[in-house]
Amino acid sequence: MQALVLEAKDRLALREIAIPETIGSHDVRIAIHTVGICGSDVHYYTHGAIGPFVVRAPMVLGHEASGTVVEAGAEVEHPAVGDRVCMEPGIPDPNSRAARLGLYNLDPAVRFWATPPVHGVLRPTVVHPAAFTFKLPDSVSFAEGAMVEPLAVGMHAATKARLQPGDLAVVMGAGPIGMVTALAALAGGCSQVVITDVQQPKLDLAASLGPIRPVNVAQENLVDVIHAMTGGWGADVVFECSGNERAAAGVFGPLRPGGTVVFVGMPMHPIAYDVATAATKEPRVEHVFRYAHVYPRALALMGSGKIDVKPLITNTFGFDESVAAFDFAVQMPPSSVKAQIVLEA
Ligand code: ZN
């Protein structure tokens, strides 16, 4: 089949590749419609590796996908052939200790699309477990369906934060994950989100999504802003989504006593975690690795209209333009958030 193949670092090709896939009794075959380009796809393209995951053989990219079920295994009750769906890209071993604990995202044996050596889905079809394939509400487009994967990260972060109605949250970083975390935090009951970045176009877009107060940290001091808003008390929750070492080291500054920090972004290097400052606030600190159990909730929020991800989809490319789409994503202008590739018109 025709696929977007990462041959090696810096080398992409839209070419034929044989991916033999037989459909099991609990699997479905999906015709891929839309695939979002993720920061991780781009990083494999430009660096050939992410941490311990190294591209050693040609690998198909893409893991943020939606499509239509074209074949269902003998035991599959849902989804059905013809259903529009999106897919959770990580498949754990259901018998693993982590999966049995409900922590299936932490199964060391999880097979995740476009994480070496597992092929991604920038290709016409894929076979996937029905249990990790979710029917889209009628009001949710294929483009929005392909946004469920990044939204799931924000949903998982908001779940870990154990938000309460009326909470004030800070989201550090207005990239795609910061944006979806802000949306998930608002849907989860936050009265307002304060979002930070240094790129003004991203902040302007974020401010248009809801009760979101942008703070350009090149011009304004975040702690001053939060103290002014809360009479010196602080924010209930801080989501670190920038992956920037300096920002991540500052998570306790705007936090209220007894508040919660959720680390979402992945800094390239260890951060200066200030235990002494943290201790005076007795915060709860959470981390997230991808997500678990949140796709149905994300789709329910999209279906009801409570979360609208459409403004985040800023650039759309055809399948034949896939290489150009990745070159665009490598040098994404600050006004762009998410680029997607459409395989089927
Ligand atoms: Zn992604």
Side-chain angles (χ1 to χ4, degrees):
M1 61 176 80
Q2 188 87 349
L4 184 69
V5 180
L6 179 62
E7 310 281 4
K9 174 175 148 25
D10 294 327
R11 264 201 310 131
L12 273 176
L14 193 59
R15 66 151 164 101
E16 281 294 318
I17 186 170
I19 305 177
E21 281 183 320
T22 50
I23 185 162
S25 58
H26 294 276
D27 295 334
V28 288
R29 192 184 307 274
I30 301 135
I32 300 291
H33 188 288
T34 297
V35 180
I37 299 179
C38 182
S40 67
D41 295 310
V42 172
H43 201 87
Y44 282 122
Y45 178 33
T46 55
H47 290 73
I50 296 180
F53 297 102
V54 181
V55 179
R56 299 186 199 282
M59 177 180 82
V60 178
L61 290 174
H63 63 263
E64 303 179 355
S66 62
T68 304
V69 176
V70 292
E71 186 183 355
E75 309 280 332
V76 173
E77 284 175 14
H78 58 86
V81 170
D83 280 350
R84 299 160 60 253
V85 293
C86 66
M87 294 74 80
E88 201 172 325
I91 311 168
D93 168 4
N95 297 312
S96 71
R97 193 162 178 175
R100 285 182 291 118
L101 278 168
L103 307 170
Y104 66 86
N105 55 320
L106 306 183
D107 178 7
V110 72
R111 291 173 51 79
F112 197 96
W113 284 340
T115 299
V118 182
H119 284 307
V121 290
L122 274 160
R123 52 178 157 132
T125 62
V126 68
V127 169
H128 203 59
F132 289 80
T133 305
F134 301 88
K135 188 175 176 183
L136 302 181
D138 289 342
S139 60
V140 173
S141 66
F142 285 114
E144 292 166 274
M147 284 296 290
V148 173
E149 198 278 336
L151 175 60
V153 177
M155 292 284 299
H156 193 50
T159 306
K160 286 270 186 167
R162 298 183 216 153
L163 297 170
Q164 293 188 45
D167 273 352
L168 173 66
V170 169
V171 171
M172 292 176 155
I177 294 298
M179 299 263 195
V180 294
T181 300
L183 292 176
L186 289 171
C190 284
S191 58
Q192 194 175 2
V193 168
V194 173
I195 195 163
T196 68
D197 210 281
V198 292
Q199 295 188 331
Q200 195 58 42
K202 288 199 189 329
L203 292 167
D204 294 341
L205 177 60
S208 74
L209 300 175
I212 298 177
R213 157 78 153 93
V215 173
N216 187 328
V217 288
Q219 293 159 15
E220 270 188 298
N221 181 287
L222 172 65
V223 176
D224 291 347
V225 171
I226 295 297
H227 281 183
M229 290 172 73
T230 60
W233 176 240
D236 300 292
V237 181
V238 174
F239 295 98
E240 203 312 290
C241 298
S242 72
N244 174 283
E245 285 85 0
R246 225 164 65 91
V251 287
F252 301 113
L255 191 70
R256 73 161 168 85
T260 302
V261 168
V262 186
F263 284 100
V264 186
M266 297 276 193
M268 295 277 276
H269 306 285
I271 65 162
Y273 186 116
D274 185 349
V275 173
T277 301
T280 62
K281 294 184 174 175
E282 290 195 348
R284 185 163 56 84
V285 177
E286 298 276 1
H287 292 264
V288 294
F289 184 65
R290 297 173 180 153
Y291 37 75
H293 310 292
V294 295
Y295 263 57
R297 289 169 186 276
L299 281 168
L301 285 165
M302 280 182 174
S304 72
K306 209 157 178 207
I307 284 186
D308 180 8
V309 295
K310 289 192 291 293
L312 306 182
I313 305 163
T314 49
N315 304 85
T316 304
F317 296 84
F319 190 37
D320 56 339
E321 306 170 300
S322 290
V323 176
F326 268 78
D327 287 332
F328 172 83
V330 169
Q331 307 233 345
M332 194 106 118
S335 55
S336 290
V337 180
K338 177 60 72 180
Q340 291 185 331
I341 295 172
V342 177
L343 284 83
E344 227 181 78

